[in-house]
């Protein structure tokens, strides 16, 4: 059979990896897909660099629209990134009847509803395994492997930069700012790391997983997002003493009243496998009613790990190329007409447990006033740790772990405790998840 013709938009880290994996494993991929998959055309602003990657057998152009306009191209792979031009090009490729593969989580988290509707109307596929957790096939797992299950919750370390930083802070006892500079020096963090360290990248990814897990539209604007910039080495040490580790998690849960969708630093019991995922690695825990709790672990970024996911999507589309569009696996796992309007809950309605660190005056009655405020709001204490004051110190740290409580009630309690004259610094609040 004639090879499937692929056009690459962008041949940077992931694009070059995709080209190399397709070339190296060409025969293996052909045997699996049923026909050859060939990159026939590449668009990149740096045409000289692109030619140095693909050689003279692949047409290289500087204008992505030339790829979309080429009637011989069957699949367009968008690896440009961002929201702007990428959205326009993906929609133009769909309108031209091309299947699309993308690694662009930001684009799909923000504009996914529009893009998937356009693809459905045109009878083409938008595949995005590479958009979440790099080389871990978590999209296919949620969409196909766990399709028998009612997914109850999932939680993931889905940003390698922040996991590297938190691992280094724990191992070396260093504060965030110091470790961030080291992460940038080593290439784990971008020169502008905002999307990573503020949790935005992880929120894009968990938004997509939430839509697939629960059959709701993608709703990035409803996600609660909190990064790691305010974490201190002291809190990581205290957490360790209490048997926990701090990870930046993307979490989505099914509740009776709606769906939780949130990203924030989280205390996780040290005995959990996900708590022991270190460095720049990714991991996702999924709980289904039939299968129970499952864990998926691997490289969440990098040239060939991400290319592995891109090529897997290319093989899937090649297998389905001539299939009736109505019998393909739906983009978001559920049939397009079966998505529900189950609301994403406001953060105030989320129920979880908490770690609190209060710097207080070292005097009688302080602890009683704090625990009284918590008791007034029916917040029960699971554990309490009070650091011994050093000689000559007039203040000390009080660490409290609570049982599950509503976020809104905790907000009120923190405001009341903060107003006490004996509470000497802003209260640190980190959410806690057992993930059992």
């Amino acid at each position: 059979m004639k090879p499937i013709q692929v056009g690459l938009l962008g041949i940077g880290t992931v694009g070059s990896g995709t080209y190399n994996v397709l070339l190296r494993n060409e025969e293996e991929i052909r045997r699996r897909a049923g026909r050859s998959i060939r990159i026939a055309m590449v668009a990149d602003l740096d045409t000289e660099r692109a030619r140095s990657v693909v050689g003279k057998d692949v047409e290289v152009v500087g204008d992505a629209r030339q790829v979309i306009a080429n009637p011989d191209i069957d699949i367009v792979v968008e690896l440009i990134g961002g929201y702007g031009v990428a959205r326009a090009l993906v929609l133009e490729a769909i309108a031209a009847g091309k299947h699309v593969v993308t690694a662009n989580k930001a684009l799909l988290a923000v504009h996914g509803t529009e893009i998937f509707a356009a693809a459905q109307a045109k009878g083409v596929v938008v595949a995005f395994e590479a958009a979440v957790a790099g080389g871990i096939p978590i999209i296919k797992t949620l969409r196909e492997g766990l399709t028998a299950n009612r997914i109850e919750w999932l939680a993931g370390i889905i940003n390698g930069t922040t996991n590297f930083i938190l691992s280094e802070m724990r191992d070396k006892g260093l504060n965030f700012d110091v470790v961030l500079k080291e992460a940038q020096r080593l290439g784990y963090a971008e020169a502008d790391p905002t999307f990573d360290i503020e949790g935005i990248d992880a929120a894009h990814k968990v938004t997509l997983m939430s839509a697939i897990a629960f059959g709701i539209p993608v709703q990035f604007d409803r996600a609660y997002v909190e990064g790691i910039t305010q974490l201190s080495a002291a809190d990581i040490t205290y957490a360790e003493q209490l048997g926990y580790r701090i990870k930046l998690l993307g979490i989505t849960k099914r509740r009776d009243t709606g769906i939780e969708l949130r990203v924030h630093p989280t205390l996780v019991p040290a005995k959990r496998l996900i708590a022991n995922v270190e460095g720049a690695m990714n991991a996702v825990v999924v709980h289904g009613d039939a299968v129970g709790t499952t864990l998926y672990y691997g490289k969440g970024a990098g040239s060939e790990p991400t290319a592995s996911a891109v090529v897997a999507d290319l093989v899937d589309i090649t297998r389905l190329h001539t299939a009736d569009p109505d019998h393909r696996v739906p983009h978001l796992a559920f049939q397009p007409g079966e998505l529900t309007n189950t609301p994403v809950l406001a953060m105030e309605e989320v129920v979880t447990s908490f770690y609190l660190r209060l710097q207080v005056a070292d005097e009688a009655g302080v602890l009683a006033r704090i625990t009284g405020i918590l008791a007034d709001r029916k917040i029960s204490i699971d554990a309490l740790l009070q650091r011994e004051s050093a000689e000559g110190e007039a203040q000390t740290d009080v660490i409290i772990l609570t049982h599950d409580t509503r976020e809104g009630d905790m907000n009120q309690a923190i405001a009341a405790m903060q107003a006490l004259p004996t509470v000497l610094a802003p209260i640190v609040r980190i959410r806690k998840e057992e993930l059992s």
Side-chain angles (χ1 to χ4, degrees):
M1 295 179 73
K2 176 176 173 252
I4 284 283
Q5 305 290 304
V6 177
L8 274 187
L9 309 185
I11 193 158
T13 301
V14 178
S16 58
T18 299
Y19 178 79
N20 291 331
V21 169
L22 272 174
L23 194 65
R24 186 173 71 240
N25 297 337
E26 182 177 9
E27 181 57 18
E28 192 92 350
I29 290 164
R30 183 197 63 75
R31 289 169 57 209
R32 289 175 171 168
R35 62 199 289 190
S36 295
I37 300 173
R38 175 177 173 263
I39 292 178
M41 200 170 181
V42 170
D44 197 284
L45 292 175
D46 190 342
T47 54
E48 282 190 26
R49 187 180 57 79
R51 284 193 186 93
S52 72
V53 174
V54 300
K56 59 181 184 298
D57 293 333
V58 177
E59 183 180 357
V60 175
V61 296
D63 182 0
R65 288 181 168 85
Q66 287 181 252
V67 176
I68 295 169
N70 185 337
D72 294 329
I73 296 296
D74 302 301
I75 306 173
V76 171
V77 179
E78 183 275 308
L79 300 173
I80 296 169
Y83 306 101
V85 68
R87 171 179 169 271
L89 292 172
V90 165
L91 290 172
E92 286 173 31
I94 291 168
K98 316 287 189 189
H99 301 293
V100 173
V101 173
T102 180
N104 193 336
K105 62 269 181 182
L107 174 67
L108 295 181
V110 176
H111 298 295
T113 300
E114 173 191 21
I115 288 167
F116 296 138
Q120 179 71 20
K122 197 68 180 178
V124 298
V125 175
V126 175
F128 54 98
E129 185 65 68
V132 180
I136 304 172
I138 191 62
I139 299 300
K140 184 176 278 288
T141 297
L142 292 170
R143 196 165 51 193
E144 299 174 48
L146 298 178
T147 196
N149 288 259
R150 175 184 167 89
I151 304 296
E152 300 296 342
W153 57 264
L154 65 84
I157 295 169
I158 42 181
N159 182 272
T161 298
T162 51
N163 201 53
F164 173 83
I165 290 171
L166 292 175
S167 296
E168 290 289 289
M169 288 176 69
R170 185 179 70 83
D171 287 347
K172 298 177 180 175
L174 298 172
N175 270 318
F176 170 79
D177 291 342
V178 176
V179 178
L180 174 60
K181 288 186 174 64
E182 178 67 3
Q184 289 171 316
R185 188 185 69 79
L186 294 172
Y188 286 108
E190 303 283 348
D192 179 1
T194 304
F195 262 44
D196 295 322
I197 63 175
E198 296 294 354
I200 300 165
D201 175 76
H204 287 146
K205 295 168 183 174
V206 77
T207 295
L208 293 172
M209 290 194 290
S210 180
I212 296 167
F214 303 125
I216 60 174
V218 288
Q219 297 171 71
F220 173 69
D221 61 333
R222 298 286 296 157
Y224 174 82
V225 187
E226 180 184 320
I228 64 169
T229 57
Q230 300 306 309
L231 285 178
S232 74
D235 293 308
I236 289 173
T237 300
Y238 283 133
E240 193 88 4
Q241 290 172 3
L242 290 162
Y244 292 86
R245 293 191 178 165
I246 299 177
K247 297 293 184 182
L248 182 77
L249 294 185
I251 299 169
T252 185
K253 293 186 178 185
R254 187 195 299 269
R255 297 287 191 190
D256 292 340
T257 52
I259 304 297
E260 295 182 5
L261 180 58
R262 47 195 169 97
V263 171
H264 50 70
T266 310
L267 266 75
V268 181
K271 62 186 177 183
R272 300 277 180 261
L273 287 173
I274 196 169
N276 294 280
V277 172
E278 301 293 352
M281 302 300 281
N282 280 199
V284 181
V285 181
V286 183
H287 186 85
D289 68 332
V291 75
T293 303
T294 54
L295 173 73
Y296 308 88
Y297 167 86
K299 292 182 178 178
S303 178
E304 294 207 351
T306 310
S308 169
V310 171
V311 173
D313 280 342
L314 290 173
V315 170
D316 270 356
I317 293 173
T318 299
R319 289 167 173 164
L320 298 168
H321 189 56
T322 57
D324 176 357
D326 291 336
H327 292 92
R328 294 173 181 150
V329 178
H331 292 108
L332 296 177
F334 293 76
Q335 296 299 329
E338 299 296 329
L339 298 183
T340 71
N341 60 358
T342 306
V344 173
L345 297 173
M347 195 61 191
E348 290 74 16
E349 298 303 319
V350 165
V351 174
T352 188
S353 49
F354 293 87
Y355 159 103
L356 304 174
R357 176 166 63 86
L358 298 87
Q359 189 181 105
V360 300
D362 191 7
E363 58 185 62
V366 172
L367 204 52
R369 286 191 287 275
I370 289 168
T371 55
I373 287 170
L374 293 172
D376 289 345
R377 286 155 183 83
K378 296 183 170 54
I379 299 170
S380 63
I381 294 173
D382 180 36
L384 189 145
L385 174 68
Q386 183 170 351
R387 185 179 67 84
E388 286 289 328
S389 299
E391 191 173 343
E393 278 189 351
Q395 76 272 340
T396 188
D397 283 343
V398 173
I399 312 299
I400 297 172
L401 298 184
T402 76
H403 290 292
D404 280 355
T405 191
R406 181 178 159 274
E407 177 99 8
D409 294 331
M410 180 55 75
N411 290 344
Q412 292 178 16
I414 288 175
M417 292 186 290
Q418 194 70 71
L420 294 172
T422 48
V423 174
L424 307 177
I427 296 169
V428 173
R429 174 249 305 271
I430 305 174
R431 296 161 192 91
K432 180 167 75 72
E433 294 284 342
E434 290 299 316
L435 302 184
S436 56

